[in-house]
Amino acid sequence: MLKPKASHPQSSLVVLLTGAANGIGRATASELAARGFRLGLIDREASPLEDLAAVLSARGAEVGAQVADVRDGGQLTAAVAALETRVGPTDVLVACAGVGGLSTATDLDLDGFQRMLEVNVLGVARTIEAVLPGMFARGRGHIVGISSVAGFRGLPWMPGYSASKAAITTYLEGLRPALKRRGVRITTVFPGFVRTALTADTPFRRPLPMMEPEQAAHYVVRAVVKRPRDYTFPLSTALGMGLLRSLPNALFDLAMDDAGPKALTTDF
Ligand SMILES: NC(=O)c1ccc[n+]([C@@H]2O[C@H](COP(=O)([O-])OP(=O)(O)OC[C@H]3O[C@@H](n4cnc5c(N)ncnc54)[C@H](OP(=O)(O)O)[C@@H]3O)[C@@H](O)[C@H]2O)c1
């Protein structure tokens, strides 16, 4: 378990969180607020975002909220400036905004793929770009990028989502040394399946063991506090997907030949 708020030396840090209004981001905002972190919340819909900010403020949290689309660098820069005026300079960025989607051989859904690349890859890069000048000026900062175990290998029913998460993982890895030299640390987080809007419509053949957003949030907060290079959770998924990642290609391909029909009720 994490230490209680009072003994936590980082609890007054400012965390800027994208994708804050729903799912893992919303639960993470709640747990961070409960632990005394100051929060700048960003999402693209005003109503759920303002609702969350009001709930957290009523509980005594110091919190600001700004609507911005992570695909728009100008909106992000303005949102970061407004939030930093409200809650202080960003110590930690949790880049959580993301979109997902399935595709089939007969419907590659390239529009959906484009959206995933724009939000999950470029959106994260744009958010990092918006906070970096301040972090460089202060000589410190921490960037937590939410990737996915789905990016460990190409998964047959979501090649676009897998590709977007592999891309952001590699991007963060490539960025790491240059940022480290300027005092900014990068943590890449790899959640397993979480029960959110992103997974709600997946036509799984059998109910899949999934974390609740609050459980996932607990791990994300641990990544904020412990600042590891990489963090995969839960342990069972880390072990299972770790094994899948290290399989020789021939074995992986054999396993995947069957995986789609076994996992989903729909053709792919
Ligand atoms: N759920 C899982 O099993 C799982 C597993 C591994 C990794 N992840 C990753 O975890 C992160 C959070 O996912 P989640 O499951 O919590 O999904 P979610 O419940 O759909 O939350 C994602 C949030 O990001 C927002 N968002 C989407 N596009 C945006 C944009 N262009 N600009 C600003 N905000 C935007 C969404 O707003 P709207 O609701 O308006 O779209 C939503 O509030 C994502 O990066 C996802 O890839 C999820």
Side-chain angles (χ1 to χ4, degrees):
M1 293 291 290
L2 293 170
K3 290 176 193 157
K5 174 180 154 183
S7 63
H8 196 298
Q10 296 169 305
S11 60
S12 63
L13 294 181
V14 171
V15 181
L16 198 134
L17 180 64
T18 67
N22 295 292
I24 300 169
R26 191 177 185 96
T28 300
S30 288
E31 175 150 350
L32 286 168
R35 295 173 57 78
F37 287 86
R38 286 178 282 155
L39 296 177
L41 308 177
I42 292 178
D43 210 305
R44 62 178 171 180
E45 292 287 340
S47 165
L49 190 64
E50 285 162 7
D51 167 68
L52 174 65
V55 168
L56 299 183
S57 292
R59 290 186 201 149
E62 203 175 325
V63 52
Q66 287 290 321
V67 171
D69 190 313
V70 297
R71 292 170 294 185
D72 185 324
Q75 285 185 19
L76 278 171
T77 304
V80 169
L83 290 171
E84 293 197 338
T85 302
R86 169 85 179 78
V87 293
T90 305
D91 296 298
V92 185
L93 164 67
V94 180
C96 192
V99 291
L102 309 186
S103 64
T104 69
T106 51
D107 180 7
L108 293 179
D109 186 20
L110 295 187
D111 290 341
F113 186 24
Q114 181 171 349
R115 201 163 53 247
M116 287 186 262
L117 293 176
E118 284 173 355
V119 177
N120 301 353
V121 187
L122 278 169
V124 174
R126 285 192 202 290
T127 315
I128 292 172
E129 186 183 42
V131 298
L132 271 191
M135 288 185 173
F136 285 166
R138 293 184 290 281
R140 66 189 153 77
H142 183 201
I143 288 162
V144 179
I146 308 296
S147 183
S148 170
V149 293
F152 283 2
R153 305 273 321 224
L155 298 184
W157 56 91
M158 46 178 162
Y161 184 71
S162 278
S164 74
K165 290 302 184 177
I168 194 56
T169 300
T170 312
Y171 183 79
L172 293 173
E173 182 164 81
L175 209 53
R176 187 170 278 117
L179 267 55
K180 185 177 170 191
R181 283 196 287 122
R182 291 163 176 82
V184 179
R185 182 165 182 81
I186 293 184
T187 295
T188 309
V189 171
F190 302 91
F193 287 107
V194 186
R195 200 180 316 281
T196 67
L198 194 138
T199 49
D201 295 332
T202 312
F204 289 119
R205 201 170 277 287
R206 285 177 219 89
L208 216 69
M210 284 202 201
M211 284 172 285
E212 297 304 323
E214 292 70 24
Q215 293 171 285
H218 188 71
Y219 289 107
V220 175
V221 173
R222 182 173 288 174
V224 168
V225 172
K226 303 272 185 196
R227 298 160 51 101
R229 180 192 194 276
D230 300 305
Y231 193 37
T232 306
F233 61 80
L235 182 62
S236 53
T237 306
L239 294 174
M241 292 303 285
L243 180 68
L244 203 65
R245 174 150 68 170
S246 57
L247 275 184
N249 288 343
L251 284 180
F252 176 78
D253 289 350
L254 268 181
M256 289 304 111
D257 284 346
D258 255 9
K262 271 189 186 153
L264 301 185
T265 55
T266 51
D267 195 13
F268 73 99

